[in-house]
Amino acid sequence: MPTYEQLSELLDPASTVLLTVECQQGVVGPDSALPELAKEARSSGALVNVARLVAAAHESGVQVIHALAERRPDGRGANRNARLFRAAERLPVQQLSGTTAVRVAPPVEVTEEDIVVRRLHGLSPLSGTDVDPLLRNLGCRTLVVTGVSANVGVPNAVFDAVNRGYTAVVPADAIAGVPADYTSAMIRHTLALVATVTTTDDVLACLKRPRRGQRA
């Protein structure tokens, strides 16, 4: 874990963006297409921690981007080149554009200042989407990655961020995957090698810390 000073240096609000990955009702909500993942995201506290981080980002001026995955009703443009995509086509809940399934799930709040990026293809919130150019235009240097899943979406986001020159920060208790012990293994053996792994509370402490020119 980084020291408070090290993390605080990374989390300058002017150059930090908070990314939520697939925190949508059809994934982590009560009527999820993936009930096991939704249950883990909620019972572990990960979704609540995402909401806490988003609220703190709003208060501190950190830009929030919500990356959502959806598909057209006719499936045009969607991937079918992996087992995961073919299985998703048969799920009882579909992530269809314009439906409640692809709305950000409570308790995560979305404000007018937030940016919502929707993708119709692939596994990554960054690759082939508007997220990377948006980050560059926002002057982002540090990307805080939260959400689901630790199996696929989160590591994709971290790898793509690092490959594009951003520093990735992962609050370990604000991501979730299945089974539960896989998340900790992924963090320890993979994400910790390429990202700064920390906790929600430590990120919140840094975001709430008065900056130069600010009054306490």
Side-chain angles (χ1 to χ4, degrees):
M1 292 284 186
T3 66
Y4 175 83
E5 292 299 329
Q6 290 171 331
L7 187 60
S8 184
E9 184 175 353
L10 288 177
L11 297 177
D12 181 351
S15 57
T16 297
V17 171
L18 174 66
L19 179 70
T20 74
V21 179
E22 296 181 30
C23 291
Q24 57 202 70
Q25 294 194 38
V27 175
V28 297
D31 298 320
S32 170
L34 304 165
E36 185 180 0
L37 176 59
K39 180 180 179 181
E40 179 59 27
R42 291 175 175 277
S43 65
S44 68
L47 189 61
V48 168
N49 284 333
V50 173
R52 294 171 65 206
L53 289 165
V54 168
H58 292 157
E59 293 175 2
S60 63
V62 168
Q63 179 65 54
V64 178
I65 296 180
H66 304 281
L68 307 179
E70 60 183 48
R71 58 184 285 121
R72 289 167 49 112
D74 60 11
R76 288 180 182 270
N79 288 68
R80 294 182 178 85
N81 58 336
R83 177 183 171 189
L84 177 65
F85 301 122
R86 295 190 293 273
E89 291 180 345
R90 300 190 296 271
L91 292 173
V93 177
Q94 293 290 305
Q95 314 298 317
L96 298 181
S97 302
T99 67
T100 58
V102 293
R103 294 179 186 172
V104 176
V108 181
E109 294 187 358
V110 182
T111 67
E112 292 183 356
E113 292 76 21
D114 293 0
I115 298 174
V116 178
V117 177
R118 303 175 183 276
R119 75 178 194 276
L120 292 170
H121 61 86
L123 299 170
S124 173
L126 272 74
S127 181
T129 74
D130 289 337
V131 172
D132 183 34
L134 288 170
L135 293 177
R136 297 195 183 281
N137 290 344
L138 290 164
C140 177
R141 296 180 62 186
T142 300
L143 184 65
V144 182
V145 180
T146 67
V148 298
S149 71
N151 305 74
V152 179
V154 168
N156 262 269
V158 171
F159 295 150
D160 285 346
V162 172
N163 285 333
R164 286 162 172 76
Y166 305 106
T167 297
V169 172
V170 177
D173 53 356
I175 67 171
V178 289
D181 57 359
Y182 179 78
T183 300
S184 58
M186 166 61 77
I187 291 168
R188 179 178 180 182
H189 299 294
T190 302
L191 297 184
L193 302 178
V194 294
T196 298
V197 176
T198 183
T199 67
T200 295
D201 284 345
D202 284 350
V203 172
L204 293 177
C206 291
L207 293 183
K208 294 176 181 178
R209 176 188 184 184
R211 301 282 165 172
R212 292 179 182 177
Q214 282 186 319
R215 294 183 178 180

